[in-house]
Amino acid sequence: MANQALMANAIRALAMDAVQLANSGHPGAPMGMADMAVALWGEHLRHNPANPHWFDRDRFVLSNGHASMLIYSVLHLTGYDLPIDELKRFRQLHSRTAGHPETGITPGVETTTGPLGQGITNAVGFALAEKLLAAEFNRDGHTIVDHHTYAFLGDGCLMEGISHEAASLAGAWKLGKLIALYDDNGISIDGAVKPWFIDNTAQRFEAHGWQVIGPVDGQDAKTVSDAIAAAKQVQDRPTLIICKTQIGKGSPNRANTAKAHGEPLGADEIGLTREALHWPYPPFEVPPEVYQDWDAKAAGARFEAEWDERFAAYQAQFPELAGEFTRRMKGDLPKDFHQVAFDTVVAAHTRAETVASRKASQLALEAFTAALPELIGGSADLTGSNLTNTKSTPPLRFEASSAVVRSEPSEQFPEGQIGRHINYGVREFGMAAVMNGLALHGGFIPYGGTFLTFSDYSRNAIRMAALMKKRVIHVFTHDSIGLGEDGPTHQSIEHAASLRLIPNLDVWRPGDTAETAVAWAVALQNADRPTALLLSRQNLPYSPKKELGDISKGAYVLAEPLAAGRGSSKLRAVIIATGSEVHLALEAQRLLAEKRIAVRVVSMPSTTTFDRQDSRYKVRVLPAGVPRIAVEMGVTSGWWKYGVAAVVGIDTYGESAPAGALFKHFGFTAENVAATVEAALRR
């Protein structure tokens, strides 16, 4: 029998030693949650240290990511490729033990956590992905998708508003394989939380449709294990297990105090703690018998081998399904994707429709959602405005029994179709973080819509997707003052520039149907970065094009001076425009041509993509020695890096009025663009 007390104390010792050596970190939470980890990782979690990416493993999320030494200790002890030297390098440059857990850096870490509340919301996305894949791929007698999602979370996660969004969605979706363990220690950075955190957490989660177990003694591994076993018996509701713990458990003078939260215990206190825990070993030393109790390599190999056997039987009976499952879990696009993308872009160019770019997005999505079953969409209560639904994406619904609702069987879908459009409700932040979880789990490419001005609500989850290099697509409509009467609360001014500042986020503001189709095609191929599509409410005329190949480079020459039909004079200026302002640039080009001022129009739907091009292409599009004038309905600050002489933009908030009146009021007319070019040439 494993010595669970020693197993827990190994975590406590490693946590306090690593934080002390780094002179930085959070020892208290790992010490308090050590017994919870013993219960979960020692008796319930199905995982394989030798293959952290084995598909049907249980997922574990440490939502209170400041407790990172908990997961680093457990990963090391159970046999992952995380040697003791990496624990000694905790929080040091280029180590695999960063201050907060980072996926892609540390084997066994499923998601990057730290911003509180997002981890548990990612876990909701994990659990939703598991449920939908099981409904889609499992067959009678052949279960290849069958795993749980576990999360540890603390008071801080529950105080963040996103946790309410996550809990509500998890309850509505009846995610029976989601089990969250709440580290209820009553302490945060500022001290005991009672003066500012009086929620009845149990009643809150029950109201969200969860099963609630506890409070239980979080320092008793057997009690916690029994609670987890009970949670696994319930299939129609997620479960919250409330675990009462002591922060800094074992420390004679720091336990149950804010001092244990975010600073080293100190050499003297560590010595006293070792005595209190009866842990006589020097720093970073764990006795062989404790390693043996923690070792999960043999069990992990057995778990994976059993699944391999099940999958082989599945593959033999359902070879096409098995192939599709494998493709999707690898994140590969279908073999015919490039042809689908080509046909979609060419069709948009051929039709040359005048529609809002939000409608152009839906037109592209009709083709892409039909071809890519992994595309799963949604909207934060704005489906009719964002136009994120298609014929191939019926709404996602669940039966009272928690089963996924299927449509009536058809020739195309003999077993009926599972809903692929999610009504997230008015939960922009929650939507963005759930989408991160869906992408992290694998098997899906998530996209979701809201108004661009509300990207502020979801910004930190967008940032996390960029940090984690995950393919998540944000559809942001109503991208400017062009939305009109709703006024400055809804009119995006600074948002495009703000999103472009996020490293590794692609931002597209297409100007017509072809550019929108290209933007979608590029976003779907961006396997290691998220994308934001900024789309108009108002209709946009199609801009004639001689060729389509350079659109995917983020900027291209849309119209040379001769396109204005007025002569062969030397190129005098370049107008750079994005989105709805491209047609203003073309009209200004015509007005200037009447004055024999030769102007090139460059459409730049994606500054972020253009910035990645080589210097030769950039110079070909934006030649040196020629004044450049940028036109965009947004703040002007981001354009100066392109060496522009002037910007037709807006550095104030908008007004409430019809769009046409606003365009004139703020100078978004062809006449003003032409006048701005002339003024720049006079300098």
Side-chain angles (χ1 to χ4, degrees), residues 291-370:
Y291 273 120
Q292 184 176 347
D293 286 344
W294 269 112
D295 191 349
K297 294 191 291 293
R302 186 172 64 253
F303 288 141
E304 184 171 357
E306 290 171 353
W307 184 82
D308 286 344
E309 187 176 336
R310 294 202 310 273
F311 188 76
Y314 178 85
Q315 190 172 36
Q317 187 160 350
F318 307 103
E320 290 185 8
L321 275 176
E324 178 68 1
F325 177 82
T326 300
R327 176 191 72 79
R328 284 175 55 175
M329 292 312 302
K330 286 182 177 179
D332 295 338
L333 295 174
K335 291 182 179 179
D336 64 348
F337 173 79
H338 291 290
Q339 187 63 50
V340 171
F342 177 83
D343 293 344
T344 303
V345 174
V346 170
H349 175 63
T350 303
R351 296 188 186 112
E353 294 174 283
T354 294
V355 294
S357 54
R358 61 172 175 164
K359 181 62 179 177
S361 170
Q362 188 179 44
L363 293 172
L365 270 174
E366 287 288 356
F368 288 126
T369 54

Side-chain angles (χ1 to χ4, degrees), residues 20-65:
Q20 183 68 25
L21 183 60
N23 197 30
S24 173
H26 302 75
M31 295 171 73
M33 292 190 293
D35 300 287
M36 296 162 55
V38 170
L40 176 60
W41 287 72
E43 299 195 6
H44 294 279
L45 198 75
R46 296 170 68 253
H47 64 112
N48 184 5
N51 184 8
H53 302 293
W54 162 53
F55 166 71
D56 207 35
R57 68 193 182 279
D58 290 336
R59 270 57 168 185
F60 173 75
V61 175
L62 184 68
S63 189
N64 43 350

Side-chain angles (χ1 to χ4, degrees), residues 355-359 385 451 477-480 482-486 535-540 659:
V355 294
S357 54
R358 61 172 175 164
K359 181 62 179 177
S385 293
F451 290 170
T477 68
H478 297 58
D479 69 341
S480 71
L483 67 87
E485 293 86 345
D486 275 340
L535 308 170
S536 74
R537 176 182 184 268
Q538 72 273 25
N539 287 344
L540 307 180

